[in-house]
Each structure stands twice: as C-alpha cells, then as structure tokens.
C-alpha cells in the first residue's frame, strides 16, 4: 500500500484545491481513506510545504501554505 501514498498525497492536494467545500467526513469517504490515514498524510504534506486546515465557520478547507503545487 505504500506505493500508493505519493498518488494519494497528490489527490489530497488536488481535492483540497478543487473541492474545498467538502466536509472532512465527505473528504475521507471520497478518497476511501480513514480519518487516521488522512491526518497522517496531512502531517507529511505539512513537512513538504502544503499546509491546510478545515474551518467549521466557513465550512471549507483553507490552504495556508502551498509550496508544492503552484
């Protein structure tokens, strides 16, 4: 399964950028990953320069830093 992680990381970046209004639960379901896996991948993406968080107030994912895909 480790061979699929780079692809999944790219998918996460793409989905955050193109569909930020999904709820976290919808996001996990769409990517077919667990909440735990999502947060492991999120931590790795942060180390790589792609930081994002979910804003319950805005009901959207917010990209705070994007050094990966511009």
């Amino acid at each position: 399964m480790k061979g699929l992680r780079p692809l999944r990381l790219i998918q996460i970046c793409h989905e955050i950028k193109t569909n930020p209004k999904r709820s976290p639960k919808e996001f996990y379901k769409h990517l077919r990953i667990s909440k735990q896996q999502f947060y492991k991948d999120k931590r790795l993406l942060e180390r790589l320069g792609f930081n994002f968080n979910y804003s319950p107030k805005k009901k959207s994912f917010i990209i705070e830093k994007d050094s990966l895909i511009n």
Side-chain angles (χ1 to χ4, degrees):
M1 202 60 124
K2 288 187 181 202
L4 297 177
R5 193 167 196 196
L7 177 59
R8 189 174 62 244
L9 295 175
I10 292 168
Q11 287 175 320
I12 289 172
C13 294
H14 176 75
E15 289 298 321
I16 294 291
K17 285 184 167 219
T18 59
N19 297 302
K21 297 286 185 183
R22 283 191 176 142
S23 72
K25 189 173 183 178
E26 291 171 328
F27 199 83
Y28 316 140
K29 187 176 179 180
H30 176 76
L31 291 175
R32 297 181 178 160
I33 59 174
S34 67
K35 182 178 181 178
Q36 180 181 1
Q37 184 62 58
F38 175 77
Y39 283 99
K40 285 180 183 178
D41 290 344
K42 183 180 185 302
R43 284 190 300 272
L44 177 56
L45 285 168
E46 287 172 352
R47 289 194 306 262
L48 295 172
F50 187 77
N51 298 20
F52 62 93
N53 284 301
Y54 184 76
S55 169
K57 184 177 179 180
K58 294 181 181 181
K59 296 183 180 179
S60 179
F61 282 97
I62 307 297
I63 298 171
E64 297 172 356
K65 180 181 175 187
D66 182 0
S67 299
L68 287 179
I69 305 170
N70 290 323

